[in-house]
Amino acid sequence: MSESRGGSANGDERPIERVLEWLDAGGPPETGPEGPGERPYVELLGLLAERLEPVEPWPEIRQRLLDAVTAGGAGEPPASAATAREAAPPAVPEVADLAARSAASAAAAPARPRSAAGRWALPLAAGLAAALLGLSAWLYGEVRSQRLQIAELAGRLAAVEEESRFAVAAMDRKMRLLTSPGVEVCNLTPVGEEPVHPSSRGTLYVAADHREWYLKIDGLEPCPEGRHYQLWFVTGDGPVSGGVFEVRAGVRFEMLSREMPEATRAVRVTLEPAGGSPVPSGPEVLYGDEVMRIL
């Protein structure tokens, strides 16, 4: 038997090449008018195993066989190196390259218009801030006004308390004077044929030591503009002023003092210029010189 790379024992030419072509084609030809089917090839392969001596295959045939076996059988055609390179997945780009592409896409993309909520958000926030600022200013003004009112009320309360203390002290002195032993009483009445205030009346209470006194007057009308009433103590040396005063309509006038000139003989009330006069110069309103002692 000669070593021929294409010969066979039964005269069939290139049996190995035919089998490889069948493998490359993906299977044996179907039985029919165009092919004998796979049985002759199976028989041929069996005969080859018995009759042919082992021969080293051509390198390209051996590679094709190995590729066919590696590919998983005759149903999958072997892939060449070029096909494998083409089928290989593309290389994954670097992260930096992807970031650069994303940034470029974002820069190239047109800016989306803001929504209605976005357009109104800033004016609304500014309006709310202005409203809060106005409310804060109003509250500050209210708190300041309330503090001023509280201070004013506190001042009024202090004044009322002071007046109350003074009134209580005066009432206490007056009661002690009126109830003290030896108190003297002098009534004051209108003077003249046509008295200035005919309905007015007054009473002077003098302590036993002739120092402290209390005067009350009813029925006097308010002073004309630019005039004051003035009290006089008549002594042997002449009249001594006891002070000027005004009255309110329908309100009793009261005066309490711890000073009286010695040897007082009578009491007078005159109408003088505003601020008083050093000596009586105006019309006489009330006069009294009769003293009655109360035991």
Side-chain angles (χ1 to χ4, degrees), residues 220-232 243-247 269-277 281-283 285:
L220 278 180
E221 294 181 5
C223 300
E225 186 177 356
R227 307 296 290 268
H228 278 161
Y229 292 112
Q230 188 166 358
L231 176 66
W232 303 93
V244 296
F245 60 92
E246 293 183 283
V247 297
V269 175
T270 61
L271 189 61
E272 303 293 340
S277 176
S281 60
V285 179

Side-chain angles (χ1 to χ4, degrees), residues 261-275:
E262 296 181 359
T264 298
R265 298 177 181 178
V267 179
R268 301 172 61 185
V269 175
T270 61
L271 189 61
E272 303 293 340

Side-chain angles (χ1 to χ4, degrees), residues 37-38 60 62 65-66 72 99 133 162 174 183 208 234 236-237 286:
E38 63 180 357
E60 58 273 15
R62 179 179 179 181
L65 288 174
L66 292 176
L133 182 61
E162 184 66 23
K174 181 174 65 175
V183 62
V234 180
D237 298 330
L286 295 172

